[in-house]
Amino acid sequence: MRRFLRSGPDPERERLKQELFQFSKTVEHGFPHQPSALGYSPSLRLLAIGTRSGAIKLYGAPGVEFMGLHRENNAVVQIHFLPGQCQLVTLLDDNSLHLWSLKVKVGVSELQEEESFTLRSPPGAAPSATQITVVLPHSSRELLYLGTESGDIFAVQLPALRTLEDRTISSDAVLQRLPEQARHRWVFEMVEALQEHPRDPNQILIGYSRGLVVAWDLQGSRVLCHFLSSQQLENVSWQRDGRLIVSCHSDGSYCQWPVSDDAQQLEPLPSHMPYGPFPCKAITKIFWLTTKKGLPFTIFQGGMPRASYGDRHCISVVHGSQQTAFDFTSRVIDFTVLTEVDPTAAFDDPYALVVLAEEELVVIDLKTAGWPPVQPPYLASLHCSAITCSHHVSNIPLKLWERVIAAGSQQSTHFSTMEWPIDGGTSLAPAPPQRDLLLTGHEDGTVRFWDASGICLRLLYKLSTVMVFLMDTDPNESLHAQGEDEWPPLRKVGSFDPYSDDPRLGIQKIFLCKYSGYLAVAGTAGQVLVLELNDEAAEHTVEQVEADLLQDQEGYRWKGHERLRARLGPVHFEPGFQPFVLVQCQPPAVVTSLALHSEWRLVAFGTSHGFGLFDHQQRRCTLHPSDQLALEGPLSRVKSLKKSLRQSFRRMRRSTASTRKRRPAGVPGEVPEASSKAERIGLQNMELAPVQRKIEARSAEDSFTGFVRTLYFADTYLRDSSRHCPSLWAGTNGGTVYAFSLRVPPAERRMDEPVRAEQAKEIQLMHRAPVVGILVLDGHSVPLPEPLEVAHDLSKSPDMQGSHQLLVVSEEQFKVFTLPKVSAKLKLKLTALEGSRVRRVSAAHFGSCRAEDYGEHHLAVLTNLGDVQVVSLPLLKPQVRFSCIRREDVSGIASCVFTKYGQGFYLISPSEFERFSLSTKWLVEPRCLVESAETKNHSHPCSRAGPEKAVGRARNSGNQSDGEERTPGPMMEHALLNDERAMGIGIPGEWQWGTASAMEEQSEREGVCSTQHTLLRARPGALPPPGQAED
C-alpha cells in the first residue's frame, strides 16, 4: 500500500525554490498612459505626472523614479510641490486633496500618502461653491490657498489639511474693498488664477474669470491694486520683481499691467495678439521671463488663428525677433519653464521648456540657438507608432553594443547637447551588470532598439524598412514642410506619429543574432528582410527573391492585400542595419514565425500557408513547397476538389454510423429529442478524473491548422543516434511538428554546394492543440546554446554523448520525446489540470541568490489567465505560479516577452511596458534617495543604504547579475562579431562594468545575496525512468 501514498513536499526542494524563484513587478518603462497633470519642484528638481487612472509618477535624475496610486480611481487634475519640501499636493476630479511625502527609510526614499481632504460646501449651498479650480501652496509651508468656482478662496492648514475659517477670502469681502466705481458690475465668477508675490509673501494675486484681477494683502485683508480686462481671463503671471503683471485672455491676446505703489487701479500697456488680427483661440497659460541680456522670453500656450490652425496644439516662444510655435502631434496637457532657482536672483534666465503632451514629454533647450529638443533618458514614447511585436536579447557583446550606439548617435544630431535638466535625487542602484536590448517592431515599418539593461528604457537606434519599398509618399520628405517666411512660424516637435503610410509595412517578427550582427525582420505583407550591421552609409540594390509557398497548387486565389512593391534600383542606407536581401512570400500573408541561424546562414519563415527556408549566403530558397509533405495534409488551406468531396462523404458516413449507435429504442417520432436529451444527461453525470477537465475537441479539418506558429533550428540527433546533424523544426496550429534534416556544406564549399533539406520526422499531437514552442535538450538536459555562442567560448559545449530530448509545448500540454526515435517520454497536461492555455513559453536560467555557482534551467510560462509559471526541465514539474496580468487584458498577455534570466516585459498600456521578474537574483528596480536642502545639510544618506522594500521606492537592480551566465573578465568583451575580434576597450560613463568584488561589496552593504560573475555550471537533473505517456 505504500506505493499508493502520495509523498509530501521535499523540504530541501522547497528551500531551494525560495532561493531560485521570487515574483515581483519591478519598474514601468515608457510614457504614462493618459496623463492629466504636471508638476515641477525647482528646489528638488523633480517632475511629477498624474494620470486619469489616479496614478502619480515622480522622475528626477536617470534611475530616480517613484510611483504612487490614489485609493480612489479618479483622475489627477493638478499637482503642486510644497516650496522647499519633499512633499506635494494632488487634486483629483472628485474635488479631494491628497498630501504625499517622500520619506527616507533605511537610506532609501519612498513615496507615501499622508493625508486626504475634501472641501465641503456649507449646508444649503450649491456643490460648485467649493469646487476647487486653483491651488496655491504658500511659501510659508503652512498654508494652501484654494480658489473655487464660487469666487471664494479658502485657506487650508498644512500638514493637517484643516480649513481655517478666519482666513477665507470671500468674493463679497473683495467686492466691498474695491473702489466705488469698480462695484457697479458683477465681475465675480470662478477663480482662474492665484499667484504669490515673488518678493512679498503677504501679497497674492487673484484672477477671476470675468476679467478682474486683484492684488490682495493677506495681513491687512485689503485690496492693494486691481485692474479690469475687457476680455475673459485665462491666466496671469507675475514678473520676478513684482513690478509687472501679464494676463492672457480668451480672444488670443495678452496684456501687460505695470504695478506702482501709488496707483490702485492699474492701466495696461497696449494689448498684443500674437497671431491676430483674425479670431484666435484662447491663450490658456503664459510666462513672462527676464534675462540678463535684457530681452525677455514670452512663452504661452494657444493663441493660434481659429480658422486655419485651430486644430493645432502649439506652445509659442518669443524672444526678441525670434518666434517659434512648437507644434505637437497630440494635445498639450500642461507645460512649465525651468528658470533660476534662487528667489533673490534679479533675473529668471530660463534654460528649458518642459511640455507634457498627451502622448509624450518634450523638453526644449532655450539656451542653444534654434531651441533644439533635448533627448530624454526616460519617459520614452514607446508607441510613437503602435507596437506590433517585441524581441529581447540578453548579454549583448561590447562591440555590437558600441556599433549600435554609434549608428544611433548619427540619428540624434538634431538633439541638443544639454544635459538632462530634471536631475533631482540620487540613484543608489548599481550599474547594470550586463547589456540587454529590447527590440520593438512598429506599425510604420520601423524597429527600435532600446537599452533595457537598467531602470531607464533608453532609445539607442531606430531602423526603418520603408526605404526598401515604393511608397506613395517620399520617406525623405521633411517634417518641416512649411517655409521659413510663412506665418505662423510652426515647427513640428516630438516623436509621436500614430499614422502609418501603409499598414502592410507593420513589423510582425524580429530575430537578432548578437554575435554575427545579422538581423531578420518580417512584416505583414509576407516580406522578410535580412540585414547586416554596417558602420558606414552605403548605396546598393536590395536583392529580391520570391518564395512561392503554394506553387503547383491549382484553384487557389489570394483575396488579401497585395504585396509591397520593392525598389528596383540602388537605395541609400544610413549607417546601422542595412538590408541586403528581401524574401517575398507568396501569397503575401502575415509572417507568423521566424528563425535565424547565423552560423549556417539560414533564415526560416512561416505563414498561414506553409513555411520556407532561405540561404542568405547563396541568396536562394532551399526548402520548397514540393518538399513539404505537409501540404497534402492540414498544413495547406488549398485542397483539391476531389479530395474535399471524398473527405466530406467520409464525414457524412461517420456521422450516420455514430448516430445509429447512439439511437435508443423507443417511440420512432421521439428518437431525436430523446437521443439528445439522453446525451446531455449522460454528459452531465459523467465523472471525470478528479484533477482533469473536459477539453474541447479540435477538428483536423480546421482551416487554420496550417498556421505555422513556431520555427526552431537545432544541431541534434534526428536520423540515428550515431550522427548529429543540423535540423529545422516547424510547429503548426493543428498540433503537427515537422522535422527536416539539413545538409550544410563545409565552409570551403559553402558557396559552391547548395543547402539540402529533407523531411525526416513528423509528429501529430492527438489533442491537435497549436504548437507554441519547440526546444531540444542535450545529454545533460540543458537547452542547446545559441548559434556561435560556443564558437566564441561564451557557453559550454552541449553534451552530445548522452541522448537528446525534444520538448514540444502546445497550448494545452508539455511533452518530452526521446531523440532520434521520437518516442513519448513525459508530459504535463496543463489545460486538463488547471483549465488554462499556454500563450508564451521560453527557456530561462534561474540562479541561486545564495550559491553563486548554482543555477537551474527551467521553462517560464504565461497562460491565457495571466498567470506566470515555472516548469522544471526535463521532469516537467510545476515549480511556482504567480498571478501577473489580468485575464481580461488580452493585449497585455499577447505582448509578453521573456528574457533568458527569468525576467519579462508586457504592455500595460499602448505606451508602457511593465517589467517583472521570476528570479531572486535578477531584479532591475529603482532604489533612490531624495532630500530637501535642509535635510542634505544634516545627513549622509549613502552610508545608510539598506535592503528593505516599500511602496513607491525603487527596487534594487544590484542583484540582477546572474553569476553563472556572465563569464569572468574580458571574455564577453572580446566576443567575435563578423569574424573580427572586438577591441578590449571600456564602456564610458555610467555603463562601465564593476568588478566582481565591488559588486559583492555593494550587495553585502544592501543586505542582498552577493552575485559574482562565474561560468555557467548547471547541475544536470536526474532523468526519470523511461516510459511512454499517452495523449
Side-chain angles (χ1 to χ4, degrees):
M1 294 293 293
R2 295 175 62 96
R3 60 177 179 158
F4 295 104
L5 298 177
R6 180 177 297 177
S7 59
D10 182 7
E12 179 65 20
R13 183 61 193 170
E14 293 301 316
R15 181 192 62 80
L16 194 56
K17 284 183 183 180
Q18 295 179 359
E19 297 177 6
L20 294 173
F21 312 118
Q22 169 189 311
F23 177 78
S24 55
K25 294 184 178 180
T26 55
V27 64
E28 294 177 0
H29 298 298
F31 185 75
H33 184 51
Q34 294 182 332
S36 55
L38 174 71
Y40 180 73
S41 171
S43 59
L44 300 179
R45 299 175 74 91
L46 290 181
L47 185 79
I49 296 177
T51 69
R52 293 187 203 171
S53 61
I56 176 173
K57 299 186 178 185
L58 273 60
Y59 301 92
V64 177
E65 297 184 10
F66 301 92
M67 177 180 172
L69 190 63
H70 293 87
R71 298 183 186 93
E72 302 81 4
N73 190 21
N74 294 93
V76 181
V77 179
Q78 295 182 37
I79 303 176
H80 299 274
F81 283 88
L82 303 188
Q85 291 182 299
C86 295
Q87 290 184 309
L88 63 153
V89 173
T90 58
L91 173 66
L92 304 188
D93 61 357
D94 63 352
N95 208 42
S96 62
L97 284 170
H98 301 260
L99 178 64
W100 297 79
S101 296
L102 283 169
K103 292 193 173 181
V104 179
K105 288 190 177 180
V106 202
V108 179
S109 297
E110 59 182 52
L111 182 63
Q112 292 182 343
E113 183 177 357
E114 300 287 339
E115 299 286 345
S116 61
F117 165 79
T118 301
L119 191 61
R120 302 295 181 186
S121 303
S128 62
T130 53
Q131 185 67 40
I132 301 172
T133 56
V134 188
V135 178
L136 171 64
H138 195 260
S139 59
S140 64
R141 308 178 185 177
E142 298 176 354
L143 292 174
L144 281 178
Y145 287 98
L146 309 178
T148 62
E149 287 188 358
S150 63
D152 297 334
I153 299 170
F154 296 88
V156 175
Q157 186 182 26
L158 289 173
L161 293 184
R162 183 170 54 89
T163 307
L164 301 178
E165 301 289 346
D166 56 334
R167 299 204 178 188
T168 299
I169 307 172
S170 66
S171 57
D172 292 336
V174 175
L175 184 65
Q176 292 173 4
R177 289 163 177 77
L178 285 174
E180 193 70 33
Q181 63 272 18
R183 300 182 194 172
H184 67 280
R185 50 182 290 198
W186 181 251
V187 291
F188 296 102
E189 270 192 1
M190 64 179 178
V191 178
E192 286 283 2
L194 283 176
Q195 292 277 338
E196 183 179 341
H197 193 287
R199 304 291 188 192
D200 185 0
N202 291 320
Q203 295 183 34
I204 62 171
L205 196 66
I206 309 172
Y208 298 94
S209 61
R210 288 283 185 90
L212 175 68
V213 179
V214 172
W216 182 263
D217 182 6
L218 294 174
Q219 284 189 339
S221 297
R222 60 192 181 95
V223 174
L224 298 175
C225 59
H226 74 279
F227 62 82
L228 188 61
S229 171
S230 59
Q231 297 293 331
Q232 181 173 325
L233 182 72
E234 293 290 334
N235 215 322
V236 293
S237 176
W238 218 327
Q239 191 180 315
R240 193 176 188 90
D241 58 5
R243 297 179 181 176
L244 183 71
I245 297 171
V246 181
S247 63
C248 55
H249 304 277
S250 60
D251 64 341
S253 66
Y254 67 85
C255 297
Q256 303 173 48
W257 307 79
V259 179
S260 59
D261 297 334
D262 53 350
Q264 190 174 12
Q265 182 169 357
L266 306 181
E267 294 298 329
L269 298 176
S271 65
H272 184 56
M273 186 177 290
Y275 300 110
F278 298 106
C280 296
K281 298 193 72 175
I283 295 179
T284 56
K285 189 175 183 179
I286 190 167
F287 285 88
W288 182 276
L289 305 167
T290 58
T291 63
K292 293 177 182 177
K293 296 182 180 180
L295 295 174
F297 271 89
T298 307
I299 303 174
F300 57 89
Q301 176 182 352
M304 302 301 292
R306 188 178 296 275
S308 303
Y309 301 95
D311 58 342
R312 302 295 183 97
H313 314 288
C314 296
I315 291 181
S316 300
V317 179
V318 182
H319 180 62
S321 60
Q322 292 179 278
Q323 180 168 345
T324 300
F326 293 104
D327 187 10
F328 298 86
T329 54
S330 58
R331 183 172 61 93
V332 174
I333 303 297
D334 200 358
F335 76 99
T336 188
V337 183
L338 309 189
T339 61
E340 173 64 46
V341 178
D342 185 6
T344 62
F347 301 98
D348 295 295
D349 283 329
Y351 57 90
L353 168 65
V354 180
V355 182
L356 176 66
E358 198 167 35
E359 305 294 350
E360 60 187 330
L361 181 81
V362 179
V363 177
I364 306 294
D365 178 7
L366 298 178
K367 287 289 189 182
T368 305
W371 301 328
V374 183
Q375 189 168 19
Y378 47 75
L379 285 173
S381 182
L382 301 176
H383 64 315
C384 44
S385 175
I387 296 177
T388 51
C389 65
S390 55
H391 176 66
H392 187 273
V393 187
S394 302
N395 235 1
I396 301 296
L398 174 61
K399 189 169 184 180
L400 175 63
W401 185 264
E402 291 178 337
R403 293 175 69 184
V404 170
I405 289 179
S409 63
Q410 299 187 47
Q411 299 176 340
S412 306
T413 54
H414 64 287
F415 285 112
S416 168
T417 57
M418 171 189 280
E419 294 291 330
W420 182 246
I422 305 165
D423 56 359
T426 305
S427 176
L428 303 179
Q434 69 176 31
R435 297 168 289 266
D436 291 346
L437 278 178
L438 179 66
L439 281 66
T440 54
H442 297 264
E443 191 181 38
D444 61 353
T446 58
V447 178
R448 285 170 169 81
F449 290 64
W450 304 92
D451 175 9
S453 312
I455 301 158
C456 301
L457 196 66
R458 185 168 58 100
L459 180 64
L460 299 181
Y461 167 70
K462 184 180 80 169
L463 163 69
S464 177
T465 63
V466 181
M467 303 296 296
V468 182
F469 305 102
L470 289 170
M471 309 304 299
D472 295 334
T473 58
D474 184 5
N476 291 323
E477 185 179 348
S478 174
L479 290 176
H480 316 293
Q482 194 164 358
E484 294 182 359
D485 299 331
E486 292 192 25
W487 190 261
L490 295 173
R491 188 206 298 178
K492 287 274 187 184
V493 287
S495 60
F496 180 72
D497 183 12
Y499 305 107
S500 173
D501 294 332
D502 194 325
R504 296 175 295 174
L505 290 169
I507 305 299
Q508 296 297 328
K509 295 294 175 182
I510 306 170
F511 203 107
L512 171 67
C513 176
K514 61 186 178 183
Y515 302 114
S516 64
Y518 283 112
L519 173 68
V521 173
T524 303
Q527 70 271 27
V528 180
L529 284 168
V530 186
L531 309 94
E532 60 182 344
L533 192 55
N534 191 349
D535 299 328
E536 302 293 335
E539 186 170 338
H540 61 263
T541 302
V542 178
E543 189 170 343
Q544 301 176 37
V545 178
E546 185 171 301
D548 189 354
L549 300 181
L550 292 180
Q551 65 181 9
D552 303 327
Q553 299 291 327
E554 300 178 357
Y556 179 75
R557 182 183 176 187
W558 169 251
K559 298 180 180 179
H561 48 241
E562 296 180 358
R563 58 184 287 181
L564 287 164
R565 294 177 299 153
R567 296 179 185 269
L568 300 178
V571 182
H572 177 77
F573 297 103
E574 298 177 347
F577 285 94
Q578 299 174 354
F580 59 88
V581 66
L582 166 64
V583 183
Q584 179 62 57
C585 299
Q586 286 290 9
V590 176
V591 177
T592 57
S593 54
L594 184 69
L596 168 70
H597 199 292
S598 52
E599 190 172 0
W600 302 335
R601 302 290 197 269
L602 297 176
V603 177
F605 48 87
T607 71
S608 56
H609 296 86
F611 56 93
L613 182 64
F614 180 73
D615 180 356
H616 66 79
Q617 185 165 350
Q618 294 191 8
R619 311 288 202 270
R620 56 182 293 175
C621 284
T622 299
L623 182 65
H624 294 283
S626 57
D627 301 324
Q628 301 177 19
L629 303 180
L631 285 176
E632 290 300 320
L635 184 68
S636 175
R637 298 160 81 179
V638 185
K639 299 181 177 64
S640 65
L641 180 61
K642 183 188 296 183
K643 183 177 179 182
S644 299
L645 288 173
R646 182 168 62 248
Q647 291 174 347
S648 298
F649 281 118
R650 286 176 180 172
R651 282 199 302 271
M652 291 171 59
R653 209 160 33 237
R654 285 197 298 265
S655 175
T656 306
S658 60
T659 305
R660 287 200 189 105
K661 286 182 181 179
R662 291 196 304 266
R663 182 174 299 169
V667 182
E670 298 179 359
V671 166
E673 186 178 352
S675 173
S676 59
K677 185 176 180 180
E679 195 172 321
R680 287 197 301 269
I681 295 175
L683 285 174
Q684 292 172 1
N685 297 334
M686 184 172 60
E687 293 186 3
L688 298 176
V691 294
Q692 295 195 9
R693 290 171 171 81
K694 287 179 284 189
I695 303 174
E696 75 172 277
R698 296 175 184 266
S699 170
E701 302 302 324
D702 187 354
S703 62
F704 290 99
T705 55
F707 195 108
V708 180
R709 292 287 293 266
T710 182
L711 291 164
Y712 178 70
F713 285 107
D715 187 0
T716 185
Y717 299 96
L718 187 57
R719 293 194 177 275
D720 54 59
S721 57
S722 59
R723 286 185 309 140
H724 56 89
C725 65
S727 63
L728 170 64
W729 301 77
T732 72
N733 215 49
T736 308
V737 178
Y738 301 94
F740 288 81
S741 64
L742 307 177
R743 183 186 170 195
V744 182
E748 60 272 11
R749 301 195 305 273
R750 184 66 177 81
M751 290 300 296
D752 301 327
E753 299 181 10
V755 175
R756 306 226 176 249
E758 296 179 1
Q759 184 167 357
K761 307 287 183 182
E762 179 178 340
I763 306 171
Q764 177 62 63
L765 302 178
M766 297 301 293
H767 59 290
R768 299 185 182 277
V771 177
V772 295
I774 300 174
L775 188 66
V776 173
L777 308 177
D778 68 5
H780 288 158
S781 301
V782 174
L784 296 182
E786 297 180 21
L788 298 176
E789 196 169 15
V790 176
H792 293 168
D793 296 327
L794 299 173
S795 175
K796 293 178 63 176
S797 298
D799 180 18
M800 309 302 285
Q801 303 300 323
S803 61
H804 285 197
Q805 300 173 79
L806 171 68
L807 172 66
V808 177
V809 182
S810 72
E811 284 190 354
E812 296 179 2
Q813 71 178 25
F814 304 79
K815 197 164 187 178
V816 174
F817 299 87
T818 60
L819 289 176
K821 293 185 178 180
V822 193
S823 59
K825 183 177 181 181
L826 287 171
K827 69 178 173 182
L828 171 63
K829 295 183 176 180
L830 188 71
T831 305
L833 295 175
E834 301 177 4
S836 58
R837 298 183 185 276
V838 178
R839 287 291 179 259
R840 289 285 184 274
V841 63
S842 177
H845 181 267
F846 295 88
S848 171
C849 67
R850 296 189 179 277
E852 293 85 1
D853 59 347
Y854 181 75
E856 298 177 354
H857 285 89
H858 296 296
L859 288 178
V861 180
L862 173 72
T863 71
N864 65 326
L865 302 181
D867 296 335
V868 288
Q869 304 184 30
V870 176
V871 178
S872 67
L873 287 176
L875 301 180
L876 301 183
K877 300 291 185 184
Q879 301 296 299
V880 289
R881 180 174 63 179
F882 307 99
S883 178
C884 180
I885 312 175
R886 292 181 301 106
R887 67 172 66 187
E888 299 84 11
D889 188 3
V890 178
S891 60
I893 294 174
S895 66
C896 182
V897 58
F898 287 107
T899 76
K900 287 182 62 177
Y901 300 104
Q903 298 185 77
F905 300 82
Y906 70 92
L907 288 172
I908 55 175
S909 72
S911 59
E912 291 174 289
F913 271 114
E914 175 80 69
R915 188 175 194 144
F916 65 90
S917 176
L918 292 167
S919 172
T920 58
K921 199 171 187 178
W922 287 82
L923 288 174
V924 177
E925 52 187 2
R927 299 183 74 250
C928 36
L929 178 67
V930 175
E931 293 180 299
S932 63
E934 298 175 356
T935 312
K936 288 179 182 178
N937 299 330
H938 304 287
S939 64
H940 302 280
C942 294
S943 62
R944 298 201 308 266
E948 289 190 11
K949 295 187 179 181
V951 177
R953 112 176 167 204
R955 292 150 289 215
N956 181 16
S957 66
N959 56 347
Q960 71 170 347
S961 163
D962 193 322
E964 299 196 347
E965 287 285 352
R966 262 286 279 148
T967 54
M971 189 170 292
M972 189 66 194
E973 314 303 340
H974 291 80
L976 298 181
L977 191 61
N978 291 333
D979 300 327
E980 297 177 3
R981 187 164 294 276
M983 298 293 292
I985 56 178
I987 305 175
E990 60 183 294
W991 303 114
Q992 199 160 18
W993 292 78
T995 61
S997 58
M999 290 294 293
E1000 186 174 3
E1001 291 173 5
Q1002 175 74 16
S1003 299
E1004 289 174 356
R1005 283 200 305 270
E1006 296 168 356
V1008 297
C1009 305
S1010 61
T1011 55
Q1012 291 181 337
H1013 301 297
T1014 58
L1015 278 171
L1016 171 64
R1017 290 195 294 274
R1019 187 178 70 177
L1023 293 179
Q1028 190 158 343
E1030 298 178 0
D1031 278 298

